[in-house]
């Protein structure tokens, strides 16, 4: 067995969570993740994947004090499964670019469930969330998360369970030895296929990661003995199973550097993150069309975008979130690429279909995952070229709290009406009082 360098570093970091004081900028980043998670969770209230998972989980009748969205209080695992699934239904949740995973959903779903079950404070919850996020971001860092996606395993499912396990373990106060075993349980249950993208299984991955994280922590706390070296940088580990050609490995974990929360991305558009620069370029071109009729459209993107958003036929609204051509057409037709633009009514729009069919997608190695260039020509012979060097919502081009509030209200107000502002304010100011208890009360109200 190789030396347990990662297991030791990770267990020490998780088990010391509650002794660490966090700077205000890190706490504020955690609150923004909370606001984003609540927005996409509530905004997905009618989504079939969440509704179906809730129907199954609520039938378990597993007692507990964790809020299950629009369905009272249930066991932590059941609540985390449901809330995590709803939070990824819209594909509108945050994304950590370093590991190309949606960490906020699984981590906050597990954190809130265990906070309520154990009667923990707002500050304890924020600390646990930060620990979970930092663990997931570092396990998936240095290309491991991105390569996991390329190899056909959904990084949110694979890596999100480690962030959820770490958060739950911190709230439970697990010892270093218990944390190591919990992580072994999480590693041996990792899965989730990229081939499921565009179906209900993709959001289920996020919910299952949250649920499995709690299960792993509970198993570790109960004395379960698991393989302890599965997250190491060498040997017969999770990395060697997922990336069998060993192109990348799980990096050596170091928690002494700055917070990975500052490298998180919040989506302004309700689609796969990799299409966001294309949407922005298209929206910028739309502002300059001035009544001219489009003749041709060329969208230049990084080659990896096609791996996850290359659908050329969009037969269902959900598939549009993973189609560069569809998302480009939305922007060129003046739509916001909001959740309302991934509906059957929008998909049936004749002008949108016409523009979508004209979009030529070209891969270009000079582009990055966060950039795109679009060239549009018109019947009068004129041409517009628009380059987006960094899509909005990225750390270098952030939404900020004003942008987050706009996103939040657009998703939550249709469900909670005037109470949406109250929920937003509770998320933004979490930490000093019992805000999370009030948030849980609102979430658990029956539909």
């Amino acid at each position: 067995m190789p030396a347990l360098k990662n297991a030791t570093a990770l267990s020490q970091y998780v088990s010391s969570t509650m002794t660490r004081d966090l700077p205000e900028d890190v706490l504020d980043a955690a609150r923004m993740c909370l606001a984003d998670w609540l927005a996409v969770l509530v905004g997905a209230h009618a989504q079939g994947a969440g509704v179906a998972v809730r129907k199954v989980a609520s039938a378990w009748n597993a007692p507990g004090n964790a809020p299950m969205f629009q369905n009272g209080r249930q066991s932590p695992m059941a609540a985390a499964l449901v809330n995590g699934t709803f939070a990824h239904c819209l594909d509108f949740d945050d994304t950590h670019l370093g590991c190309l995973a949606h960490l906020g959903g699984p981590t906050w779903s597990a954190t809130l469930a265990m906070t309520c079950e154990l009667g923990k404070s707002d500050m304890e919850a924020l600390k646990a969330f930060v620990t979970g996020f930092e663990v997931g971001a570092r396990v998936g860092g240095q290309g491991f998360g991105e390569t996991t996606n390329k190899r056909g395993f959904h990084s949110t499912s694979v890596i999100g369970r480690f962030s959820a396990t770490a958060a739950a373990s911190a709230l439970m106060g697990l010892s270093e030895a218990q944390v190591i075993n919990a992580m072994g349980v999480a590693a041996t249950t990792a899965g989730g296929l990229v081939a499921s993208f565009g179906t209900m299984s993709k959001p289920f991955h996020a919910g299952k990661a949250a649920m499995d994280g709690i299960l792993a922590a509970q198993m570790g706390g109960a004395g379960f003995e698991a393989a302890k070296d599965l997250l190491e940088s060498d040997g017969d580990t999770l990395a060697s199973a997922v990336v069998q050609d060993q192109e990348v490995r799980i990096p050596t974990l170091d928690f002494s550097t700055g917070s990975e929360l500052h490298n998180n991305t919040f989506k302004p558009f309700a689609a796969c993150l990799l299409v966001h620069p294309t949407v922005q370029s298209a929206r910028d071109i739309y502002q300059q069309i001035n009544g001219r009729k489009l003749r041709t459209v060329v969208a230049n993107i990084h080659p990896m975008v096609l791996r996850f958003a290359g659908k050329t036929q969009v037969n269902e609204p959900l598939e549009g979130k993973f189609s560069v051509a569809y998302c480009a057409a939305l922007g060129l037709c003046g739509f916001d690429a909001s959740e309302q633009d991934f509906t059957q009514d929008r998909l049936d729009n004749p002008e949108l279909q016409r523009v979508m069919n004209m979009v030529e997608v070209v891969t270009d190695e000079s582009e990055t995952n966060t950039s795109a260039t679009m060239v549009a020509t018109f019947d009068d012979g004129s041409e517009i070229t628009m380059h987006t060097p960094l899509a909005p919502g990225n750390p270098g081009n952030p939404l900020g709290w004003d942008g987050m509030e706009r996103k939040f209200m657009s998703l939550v107000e249709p469900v909670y009406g005037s109470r949406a502002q109250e929920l937003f304010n509770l998320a933004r100011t979490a930490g000093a009082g019992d805000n999370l208890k009030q948030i849980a009360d609102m979430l658990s109200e029956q539909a």
Side-chain angles (χ1 to χ4, degrees), residues 13-24 26-31 34 107-108 111-112 115 120-135 163-172 255 259 261 430-432 436:
Y13 179 71
V14 173
S15 63
S16 61
T17 293
M18 298 307 166
T19 67
R20 285 192 295 275
D21 291 325
L22 298 177
E24 182 56 33
V26 172
L27 290 172
D28 197 55
R31 295 183 189 107
L34 173 61
T107 314
W108 262 121
T111 298
L112 184 64
T115 294
K120 299 296 183 178
S121 69
D122 277 18
M123 187 53 67
E124 288 171 317
L126 287 170
K127 286 184 175 183
F129 172 80
V130 170
T131 286
F133 193 99
E134 298 294 338
V135 166
S163 61
T165 300
S169 297
L171 287 165
M172 292 175 63
F255 295 97
S259 176
L261 270 167
L436 289 176

Side-chain angles (χ1 to χ4, degrees), residues 35 38 42 401-402 404-429 435 438-439 442:
L38 288 170
V42 174
W401 275 110
D402 288 344
M404 179 57 69
E405 185 170 8
R406 287 192 295 272
K407 174 180 178 178
F408 188 98
M409 296 303 290
S410 72
L411 291 167
V412 179
E413 198 166 27
V415 182
Y416 283 115
S418 60
R419 299 175 68 200
Q421 189 66 57
E422 175 190 354
L423 187 60
F424 177 79
N425 292 340
L426 287 169
R428 185 169 184 177
T429 60
N435 292 26
Q438 295 179 66
I439 288 170
M442 290 182 70

Side-chain angles (χ1 to χ4, degrees), residues 262-282:
H262 295 316
N263 296 320
N264 206 22
T265 294
F266 299 98
K267 294 181 176 183
F269 309 125
C272 175
L273 183 69
L274 296 175
V275 305
H276 281 214
T278 297
V279 173
Q280 187 61 51
S281 292

Side-chain angles (χ1 to χ4, degrees), residues 267-321:
K267 294 181 176 183
F269 309 125
C272 175
L273 183 69
L274 296 175
V275 305
H276 281 214
T278 297
V279 173
Q280 187 61 51
S281 292
R283 284 167 56 80
D284 289 343
I285 287 175
Y286 172 77
Q287 297 298 322
Q288 301 181 35
I289 287 179
N290 295 325
R292 290 174 289 178
K293 187 174 183 179
L294 283 165
R295 177 187 294 172
T296 65
V297 178
V298 178
N300 296 283
I301 59 170
H302 187 271
M304 195 179 73
V305 179
L306 287 184
R307 177 72 178 83
F308 306 103
K311 290 184 179 293
T312 55
Q313 297 294 321
V314 179
N315 300 311
E316 300 290 339
L318 187 59
E319 293 178 332
K321 293 174 180 281

Side-chain angles (χ1 to χ4, degrees), residues 111 205 331 379 429 441 446:
T111 298
H205 291 167
D379 280 353
T429 60
D441 287 343
Q446 297 288 337

Side-chain angles (χ1 to χ4, degrees), residues 169-423:
S169 297
L171 287 165
M172 292 175 63
L174 297 192
S175 68
E176 292 181 25
Q178 290 171 325
V179 171
I180 290 175
N181 283 315
M183 290 297 167
V185 174
T188 201
T189 57
L193 301 178
V194 169
S196 294
F197 283 18
T199 74
M200 290 184 182
S201 292
K202 187 174 189 285
F204 174 68
H205 291 167
K208 191 61 161 48
M211 174 183 175
D212 285 357
I214 292 175
L215 175 61
Q218 292 179 336
M219 295 285 278
F224 189 89
E225 293 286 339
K228 297 173 174 56
D229 60 346
L230 297 182
L231 294 183
E232 299 305 321
S233 299
D234 53 8
D236 189 13
T237 64
L238 173 67
S240 64
V242 175
V243 187
Q244 296 191 2
D245 61 5
Q246 300 188 17
E247 177 183 333
V248 298
R249 310 291 290 178
I250 293 174
T252 299
L253 300 181
D254 179 6
F255 295 97
S256 65
T257 57
S259 176
E260 286 295 327
L261 270 167
H262 295 316
N263 296 320
N264 206 22
T265 294
F266 299 98
K267 294 181 176 183
F269 309 125
C272 175
L273 183 69
L274 296 175
V275 305
H276 281 214
T278 297
V279 173
Q280 187 61 51
S281 292
R283 284 167 56 80
D284 289 343
I285 287 175
Y286 172 77
Q287 297 298 322
Q288 301 181 35
I289 287 179
N290 295 325
R292 290 174 289 178
K293 187 174 183 179
L294 283 165
R295 177 187 294 172
T296 65
V297 178
V298 178
N300 296 283
I301 59 170
H302 187 271
M304 195 179 73
V305 179
L306 287 184
R307 177 72 178 83
F308 306 103
K311 290 184 179 293
T312 55
Q313 297 294 321
V314 179
N315 300 311
E316 300 290 339
L318 187 59
E319 293 178 332
K321 293 174 180 281
F322 305 96
S323 169
V324 175
Y326 181 83
C327 291
L330 284 174
L332 289 166
C333 291
F335 297 116
D336 296 332
S338 64
E339 188 53 36
Q340 291 72 31
D341 294 320
F342 297 92
T343 61
Q344 193 62 47
D345 285 347
R346 188 72 77 233
L347 183 58
D348 292 339
N349 183 295
E351 178 63 10
L352 182 67
Q353 286 289 333
R354 184 186 77 84
V355 175
M356 177 183 170
N357 290 331
M358 108 177 22
V359 175
E360 178 186 0
V361 179
V362 177
T363 58
D364 183 347
E365 291 283 358
S366 69
E367 300 289 356
T368 68
N369 291 341
T370 57
S371 74
T373 302
M374 185 172 290
V375 181
T377 64
F378 302 89
D379 280 353
D380 64 3
S382 59
E383 177 180 293
I384 298 175
T385 298
M386 192 63 63
H387 176 60
T388 299
L390 183 64
N394 282 283
N397 189 12
L399 283 184
W401 275 110
D402 288 344
M404 179 57 69
E405 185 170 8
R406 287 192 295 272
K407 174 180 178 178
F408 188 98
M409 296 303 290
S410 72
L411 291 167
V412 179
E413 198 166 27
V415 182
Y416 283 115
S418 60
R419 299 175 68 200
Q421 189 66 57
E422 175 190 354
L423 187 60

